[in-house]
Structure formats: C-alpha cells, structure tokens
Amino acid sequence: MIYFARVSDNHKSLAGIGELEEANVIRWSSFFNQDFRGNGISPMVGALTSGKPELEEASQNLLSYFDYLDNHLAVSKCFASNDNLTCVNISVCVFFKVIFSQLPEETIHLENYGNIYRWYFMLLQHPVVLKTFR
C-alpha cells in the first residue's frame, strides 16, 4: 500500500510527505495490521479457531486499541498518521467499514469513542475515500 502510494504520479502524498511523515505512515500501518487486526479483530471474526479465553483477550485488546486511537485522535484531530490524508487512513476506513459489519453489535459502541466516530465519518465523506468505495 505504501509502495503504491510512493510510486503513484497523482497520490505520492498518501505515503507521507518527508521522512517523518513516511515513518508515521509505517508506524500506524504496523499498529493497525499487527495489533488491531492480528491481536484484536482476527480472533473475533473467525480468522483463527479461538476458545473463550482467546476471545476474551482479543476483546480486551480491541477495546484498549480503540482507547489508544481515540486518545491519539483527540490530539491529532484530523488523521491517524499525519495532518494529511494518507494511505493508512484510507486502509483503516475500509477495514473499519468491513469489521463493523462483521462484529456483533455489542462488541464496539463507536459512539463511546467520539474522536474515532468523528474521524471515521469524516473519512467516509472524503473524496478519495468515496472513490475507494465506488
């Protein structure tokens, strides 16, 4: 995802502008892929054969990741990785749209995470993200 953004003639900024932004894109990409997906979501949506202890641990992990992201977005206000739209934001928006449709309703109450709620619905209206869903 980051590679394709870097080599794109039209969307190089989606990989981050400058070394620090690129590093933040990689950092947040790793967080969402490893922690959110690997330790939080995957056991809950059947990607792994999980028993009750694993599911409880995954649920607790997921809530802590939502807390972490919500607190981060309280400070950053706009996007997860930088002040500009990046491929991480697009990827996570698509990912959230999918998981919110797969997880049981009682798993995550997005309205309890005001900053994530604001960020997610802002992203859903962003022109680049809207093109993604077409």
Side-chain angles (χ1 to χ4, degrees), residues 2-134:
I2 296 167
Y3 168 78
F4 287 115
R6 281 189 189 146
V7 299
S8 167
D9 289 334
N10 298 324
H11 301 291
K12 287 184 191 298
S13 64
L14 292 177
I17 301 169
E19 291 178 359
L20 181 58
E21 281 193 8
E22 286 181 13
N24 276 327
V25 167
I26 293 168
R27 171 185 167 226
W28 283 98
S29 216
S30 296
F31 170 71
F32 285 112
N33 284 318
Q34 178 62 38
D35 296 317
F36 247 93
R37 280 188 183 148
N39 299 326
I41 297 297
S42 291
M44 299 180 76
V45 295
L48 304 172
T49 305
S50 302
K52 187 171 176 136
E54 290 86 3
L55 288 175
E56 288 175 7
E57 181 180 354
S59 179
Q60 288 304 313
N61 287 342
L62 190 59
L63 293 175
S64 72
Y65 302 146
F66 268 91
D67 286 337
Y68 180 74
L69 178 59
D70 197 66
N71 289 331
H72 171 73
L73 290 170
V75 176
S76 77
K77 304 278 187 247
C78 290
F79 301 107
S81 55
N82 300 303
D83 290 335
N84 304 303
L85 180 72
T86 64
C87 54
V88 172
N89 292 282
I90 297 167
S91 173
V92 173
C93 185
V94 171
F95 173 67
F96 276 9
K97 190 167 176 73
V98 171
I99 65 164
F100 292 148
S101 70
Q102 292 180 357
L103 288 175
E105 247 180 70
E106 67 277 358
T107 306
I108 296 295
H109 296 283
L110 198 55
E111 63 275 4
N112 293 340
Y113 300 95
N115 298 305
I116 295 173
Y117 186 88
R118 172 191 46 79
W119 169 73
Y120 176 64
F121 285 100
M122 175 195 65
L123 284 173
L124 286 175
Q125 300 306 311
H126 196 285
V128 174
V129 175
L130 287 171
K131 285 182 185 178
T132 303
F133 289 121
R134 286 187 192 158

